[in-house]
């Protein structure tokens, strides 16, 4: 599971540091580049709801293996020096990550029900590590391999390794059957708690994918060089590792997760402000705060899926809704930044929009962070307790 998690971010974070090269080589407009950064996030949302359906028909293990195979193929396709191949490969990557990322919370809930929140922190830390490697190594790989095409395609090797390891070591366990109507996606959709978790996931994820897609570009707008901007993003993502691991543990210390959620959002807010409009001398404080906040925020968002579901089947359904709807909403973030850059609105306006998203996420965190859970009652109905 950790090795799978390691593969779910390099495909996204490795793109941002070479966007300027892609734009220069292909002649794509800022709006088209924005669409390229939005495409994988949109695919995460569109394909995440398919994960429970695939798991039901293929089994969770085979469904996850299929996602890894599609991921390796999409990454390899991005090595073809054609704009169409770049977009198609990116679409495949987004679809694969949408399926694989949605299946992981249900598998964690099934295999480690007592420690599902802490295990979520462990594999979320692997996601953050993968994101940091993708951001930090993207430019060096492009230089070493002779172009951004091969640099992007080289990540298919790591995906292939994860596929082989998963086929060899994947757990095998039958899941208990639930009443068909109680475990349906429609019944989950009828629960306000599910929507509250989804909206929090979507808003905090939009900030994360703005970082993956545009942070180096925004930093270069402030006057930093290409290499420095890439490493600043990598440093911020690397700081996410300890936060991703610690956040679920810290969230256990209170009666619910609201204090932890509000704390990480406050750090994200301060980080964006310091990096984009604050004093340049405090840029590394901004990097640390942004990394701690986003690592903790994403880890807590995934942890909410397992904490708000009473069993692994419900976790799978809730994961499909939360990640499907959440990532579809999150896709608007990178696209919106692309539009604002196309309109030349400036860093002050972009920063104000980012801070408004943080405030909206805090509002939904107050509801999603309450100590409540979706369960099947004695009569076979889905209820919130």
């Amino acid at each position: 599971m950790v090795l799978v998690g390691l593969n779910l971010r390099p495909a996204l974070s490795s793109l941002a540091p070479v966007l300027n090269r892609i734009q220069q080589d292909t002649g794509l407009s800022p709006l088209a580049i924005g669409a390229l950064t939005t495409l994988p996030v949109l695919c995460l949302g569109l394909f995440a709801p398919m994960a429970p359906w695939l798991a039901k028909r293929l089994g969770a293990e085979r469904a996850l293996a299929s996602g890894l195979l599609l991921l390796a193929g999409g990454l390899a396709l991005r090595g073809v020096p054609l704009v169409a191949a770049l977009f198609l490969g990116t679409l495949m990557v987004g679809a694969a990550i949408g399926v694989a990322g949605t299946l992981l919370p249900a598998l964690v809930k099934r295999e480690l029900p007592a420690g599902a929140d802490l295990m979520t922190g462990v594999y979320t830390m692997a996601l953050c590590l993968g994101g940091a490697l993708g951001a930090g190594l993207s430019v060096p790989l492009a230089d070493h391999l002779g172009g951004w095409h091969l640099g992007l395609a080289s990540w298919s090797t790591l995906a292939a390794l994860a596929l082989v390891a998963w086929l060899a070591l994947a757990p095998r366990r039958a899941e208990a059957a639930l009443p068909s109507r109680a475990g349906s996606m429609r019944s989950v959709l009828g629960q306000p708690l599910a929507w509250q978790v989804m909206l929090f996931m979507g808003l905090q994820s939009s900030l994360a994918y703005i970082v993956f897609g545009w942070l180096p570009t925004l930093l270069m707008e402030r006057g930093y060089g290409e290499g420095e901007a890439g490493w600043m993003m990598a440093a911020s993502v690397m700081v996410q590792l300890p936060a991703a691991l610690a956040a679920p543990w810290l969230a256990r210390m209170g009666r619910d997760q609201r204090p932890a959620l509000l704390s990480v959002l406050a750090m994200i807010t301060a980080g964006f402000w310091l990096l984009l409009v604050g004093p340049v001398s405090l840029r590394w404080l901004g990097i640390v705060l942004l990394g701690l906040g986003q690592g903790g925020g994403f880890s807590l968002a995934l942890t909410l899926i397992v904490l708000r579901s009473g069993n692994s089947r419900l976790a799978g359904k809730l994961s499909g809704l939360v990640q499907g709807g959440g990532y579809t909403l999150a896709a608007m973030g990178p696209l919106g930044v692309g539009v604002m850059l196309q309109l030349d609105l400036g860093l002050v306006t972009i920063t104000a929009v980012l801070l408004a998203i943080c405030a909206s996420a805090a509002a939904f965190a107050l509801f999603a962070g309450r100590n409540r859970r979706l369960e099947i009652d004695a009569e076979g109905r889905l209820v919130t307790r």
Side-chain angles (χ1 to χ4, degrees):
M1 290 180 182
V2 171
L3 188 56
V4 171
L6 191 64
N7 276 272
L8 300 186
R9 287 299 174 270
L12 307 176
S13 63
S14 61
L15 191 63
V18 293
L19 281 179
N20 279 352
R21 299 189 188 193
I22 294 173
Q23 188 171 13
Q24 291 170 6
D25 291 349
T26 61
L28 293 172
S29 68
L31 188 58
I33 291 292
L36 181 63
T37 61
T38 301
L39 182 62
V41 187
L42 183 60
C43 287
L44 291 182
L46 294 178
F47 286 90
M50 291 183 60
W53 180 83
L54 288 172
K56 183 178 180 180
R57 282 151 182 79
L58 302 177
E61 295 81 10
R62 289 182 180 179
L64 186 54
S66 299
L68 289 172
L69 180 62
L70 184 64
L71 176 62
L75 288 167
L77 185 59
R78 294 207 296 194
V80 178
L82 295 171
V83 171
L86 175 63
F87 275 87
L88 179 58
T90 301
L91 185 151
M92 293 168 61
V93 161
I97 296 173
V99 171
T102 302
L103 291 170
L104 276 177
L107 284 166
V108 169
K109 185 77 173 181
R110 190 190 75 184
E111 295 298 315
L112 296 164
D117 53 344
L118 298 184
M119 181 60 198
T120 299
V122 171
Y123 84 74
T124 305
M125 185 177 67
L127 264 74
C128 296
L129 176 59
L133 292 175
L137 297 179
S138 183
V139 172
L141 281 172
D143 292 339
H144 180 70
L145 296 175
W148 57 265
H149 304 91
L150 295 178
L152 292 177
S154 65
W155 294 101
S156 62
T157 304
L158 185 61
L161 175 62
L163 175 59
V164 172
W166 183 255
L167 292 174
L169 303 173
R172 304 281 195 279
R173 186 182 299 181
E175 296 184 64
L178 292 175
S180 57
R181 293 184 62 188
S184 69
M185 186 65 79
R186 179 175 296 180
S187 63
V188 175
L189 282 168
Q191 300 295 318
L193 178 61
W195 287 89
Q196 292 156 7
V197 177
M198 183 200 74
L199 289 168
F200 172 74
M201 165 66 89
L203 290 167
Q204 72 85 29
S205 292
S206 71
L207 298 170
Y209 289 111
I210 287 169
V211 168
F212 281 133
W214 288 111
L215 183 60
T217 301
L218 295 175
L219 291 174
M220 284 186 278
E221 286 283 317
R222 280 216 82 180
Y224 300 106
E226 179 188 53
E228 185 180 10
W231 279 111
M232 287 174 71
M233 173 180 164
S236 182
V237 178
M238 188 66 74
V239 173
Q240 294 181 18
L241 271 67
L245 184 61
W249 179 78
L250 291 173
R252 279 187 167 192
M253 298 178 67
R255 292 187 302 173
D256 56 40
Q257 288 73 50
R258 285 177 290 184
L261 292 170
L262 294 177
S263 296
V264 297
L265 287 169
M267 287 189 281
I268 293 171
T269 301
F272 273 127
W273 186 84
L274 287 172
L275 285 174
L276 300 182
V277 296
V280 173
S281 59
L282 298 179
R283 63 189 182 278
W284 288 107
L285 176 60
I287 286 291
V288 171
L289 289 174
L290 183 62
L292 291 174
Q294 293 204 304
F298 185 61
S299 182
L300 287 171
L302 293 178
T303 300
L304 287 177
I305 295 173
V306 298
L307 291 179
R308 300 296 175 259
S309 50
N311 54 58
S312 63
R313 183 69 61 83
L314 284 175
K317 297 292 185 183
L318 183 60
S319 182
L321 171 64
V322 169
Q323 299 199 55
Y327 287 138
T328 302
L329 174 61
M332 300 301 102
L335 182 61
V337 172
V339 170
M340 287 188 285
L341 288 172
Q342 179 82 30
L343 297 175
D344 198 24
L345 295 183
L347 284 178
V348 173
T349 300
I350 293 174
T351 303
V353 171
L354 294 178
L355 300 191
I357 296 174
C358 290
S360 300
F364 287 106
L366 292 174
F367 294 98
R370 294 175 297 169
N371 190 17
R372 307 184 72 188
R373 188 166 70 173
L374 300 179
E375 293 183 345
I376 306 297
D377 67 11
E379 297 178 2
R381 296 174 303 182
L382 181 62
V383 296
T384 300
R385 291 176 176 166

